[in-house]
Amino acid sequence: MIKLYVEEKQSVKKICNILGISKPQLYRLLRKYNIPRSRVPKRPKINNELKALLEGLRRSVNISKREKVELDKKLFARILEYNCPITMIAEYIGVSRKTLMRRLIDYEFIKFTEENSNNTSRLKKPRARFKGSEEEKAYIIGLAHDFNLRGESPYTLSLKLTTTHPELIKLVLSIFKPYNPRIYRRRDGDVAVHFEVDPSYSFALTIPKEKYIKNLQWALENYPYQVLSGLIDADGCITMYKDRRDERVYWGIWLYLKDRTQVELIRETLRRLGYNPGNGKGIRLSHHQTTRLLKHLKLRHREKIAYQKVILSSLPREKKYKWHKKFRGLIKRKVANGKNSPPTPPPFYPKINYNI
């Protein structure tokens, strides 16, 4: 135990696994043999030479919000020879500890290994890259038109979605499940979903706008129905209504987006596919056009999948409309319950029968 802890400087967890003991047992042994638990080296005294090196490193740093912080590599290496803690160097030159840890990796002074994982535990480590197909990419571009960028680093993108709809939250959680998304309730009753993904998901960023528009154009040209599926899952409305004039039941798809450029791109794509989306503020498809479009869409939002199945079924229109009224009542109660309950899965996602 003494050899592992003092000489080899193994971690407590690894020593416990090797010896087959618990952490409290290991700590009792350390007290028994008068071995200090803290193995952090003492801060070196700042002599004139070290002070001159730190001052030179501080002057060489260009701190800018838009540019990457670069250091003098030779000075940085010489300072590390004095066994200066990273926190101490960061305080002296006026940058964060995480920035210095990233420079250590960039300059190949350390690497991500099990041996030095304790030193880099507070650094955001690289995450799995996007490995989906181009169709999946097009769907996410449509779904992510309302995502907000919370933060950006060389290793992660921090995204946020704010909504009141439980099913949309479940959809986003299922797509980004490998990244352990977090949900919390805001004071206004809305629910925010936070998830940190690899920078390879930058195609889903709506900032800068020009870049997102280019990605949207590419997706609409190559995979229009996948993009439309994502857009309708996120912000679309599939509904039924009864016309007052002839008392007949009709259905339609309505899609309203804030960005006029996006609306025009989608409108042009629908016209190219043979639809008539109108010229108003939003996009509205008529009864027959909705039926035709739903045959091509691959929706993932459970409520909209239910509408898709009912509309494309052979049921009479009156039965479809009765189902619609009953279903809308269930959805309204579910959303109301979601607003007044904590964001925990059992009360927040009550079960609904989506079958016809």
Side-chain angles (χ1 to χ4, degrees):
M1 185 271 294
I2 297 174
K3 182 181 178 182
L4 292 171
Y5 191 81
V6 178
E7 297 177 9
E8 298 182 9
K9 296 184 179 180
Q10 299 282 359
S11 66
V12 171
K13 185 177 180 180
K14 190 174 284 188
I15 295 172
C16 291
N17 291 336
I18 293 172
L19 300 179
I21 59 177
S22 63
K23 286 184 180 180
Q25 289 175 325
L26 178 61
Y27 293 145
R28 283 197 292 271
L29 290 172
L30 292 176
R31 286 197 299 270
K32 181 179 179 181
Y33 294 105
N34 295 322
I35 299 173
R37 284 176 56 176
S38 177
R39 295 180 295 187
V40 179
K42 294 182 179 180
R43 286 195 175 193
K45 293 182 179 179
I46 301 180
N47 53 30
N48 293 334
E49 186 178 355
L50 179 57
K51 188 174 182 180
L53 291 173
L54 288 169
E55 188 65 28
L57 185 64
R58 188 178 65 82
R59 287 197 299 266
S60 69
V61 175
N62 290 324
I63 300 177
S64 174
K65 292 183 179 179
R66 296 186 178 182
E67 296 180 3
K68 183 178 177 181
V69 175
E70 294 291 349
L71 306 173
D72 188 318
K73 192 174 179 180
K74 292 182 179 179
L75 282 176
F76 195 23
R78 287 186 62 188
I79 292 170
L80 292 175
E81 292 175 359
Y82 284 84
N83 293 325
C84 286
I86 295 297
T87 306
M88 172 185 165
I89 302 172
E91 290 174 0
Y92 197 92
I93 66 176
V95 298
S96 68
R97 179 183 179 277
K98 290 183 180 180
T99 300
L100 285 188
M101 295 301 294
R102 293 191 188 102
R103 296 298 85 79
L104 286 172
I105 297 166
D106 293 343
Y107 301 153
E108 297 183 353
F109 291 153
I110 63 171
K111 295 182 180 179
F112 279 121
T113 60
E114 291 184 2
E115 286 76 12
N116 59 31
S117 61
N118 292 332
N119 299 329
T120 58
S121 59
R122 294 174 65 184
L123 181 64
K124 291 182 180 178
K125 299 182 182 180
R127 294 173 175 265
R129 295 181 61 81
F130 175 75
K131 297 180 181 179
S133 62
E134 290 192 341
E135 292 184 3
E136 178 73 10
K137 183 177 179 180
Y139 176 83
I140 293 177
I141 288 173
L143 183 73
H145 78 278
D146 212 15
F147 286 179
N148 296 318
L149 178 66
R150 293 183 63 241
E152 187 174 3
S153 76
Y155 305 108
T156 58
L157 295 175
S158 182
L159 303 176
K160 181 179 77 170
L161 170 70
T162 305
T163 182
T164 58
H165 208 293
E167 282 304 320
L168 180 58
I169 295 170
K170 288 187 71 175
L171 174 61
V172 173
L173 291 177
S174 65
I175 292 175
F176 296 99
K177 186 178 180 180
Y179 298 99
N180 299 320
R182 306 180 302 277
I183 61 174
Y184 69 90
R185 189 169 302 285
R186 305 196 324 176
R187 292 182 180 178
D188 58 2
D190 292 354
V191 175
V193 184
H194 288 178
F195 44 97
E196 295 174 348
V197 297
D198 185 80
S200 57
Y201 281 85
S202 60
F203 60 84
L205 295 180
T206 55
I207 301 174
K209 178 182 173 181
E210 295 77 15
K211 187 176 179 181
Y212 178 75
I213 292 298
K214 285 184 180 179
N215 292 331
L216 184 62
Q217 285 176 332
W218 167 84
L220 287 171
E221 288 174 4
N222 296 279
Y223 305 99
Y225 289 112
Q226 281 73 17
V227 182
L228 291 171
S229 298
L231 287 165
I232 292 172
D233 278 344
D235 266 348
C237 175
I238 306 175
T239 186
M240 295 184 188
Y241 58 94
K242 184 174 283 190
D243 197 313
R244 294 180 180 179
R245 292 170 294 182
D246 57 7
E247 293 296 323
R248 293 194 66 185
V249 177
Y250 298 95
W251 44 79
I253 292 178
W254 303 340
L255 182 63
Y256 294 94
L257 304 178
K258 296 178 182 178
D259 193 286
R260 297 293 299 171
T261 308
Q262 296 179 24
V263 172
E264 291 303 322
L265 283 173
I266 297 163
R267 186 173 280 128
E268 289 175 8
T269 302
L270 287 170
R271 285 172 180 159
R272 177 168 55 86
L273 296 173
Y275 299 92
N276 181 20
N279 296 314
K281 291 183 179 180
I283 293 170
R284 302 185 68 166
L285 294 179
S286 64
H287 175 85
H288 296 292
Q289 292 179 355
T290 298
T291 306
R292 179 185 157 202
L293 180 62
L294 287 175
K295 293 178 181 178
H296 299 282
L297 296 181
K298 295 181 180 179
L299 302 173
R300 303 187 192 180
H301 194 293
R302 291 207 306 164
E303 291 172 6
K304 287 157 189 177
I305 291 173
Y307 270 100
Q308 185 182 33
K309 288 182 178 179
V310 171
I311 290 172
L312 297 180
S313 68
S314 58
L315 291 173
R317 291 193 183 188
E318 287 297 329
K319 284 191 176 181
K320 292 179 181 179
Y321 186 65
K322 286 181 180 179
W323 174 89
H324 158 74
K325 291 182 71 175
K326 185 178 179 181
F327 192 60
R328 289 307 303 171
L330 289 171
I331 292 173
K332 286 180 180 178
R333 287 198 296 272
K334 183 180 72 167
V335 174
N337 291 336
K339 282 186 177 180
N340 299 322
S341 61
T344 52
F348 194 64
Y349 305 124
K351 292 183 179 179
I352 286 182
N353 184 12
Y354 291 89
N355 297 325
I356 300 170

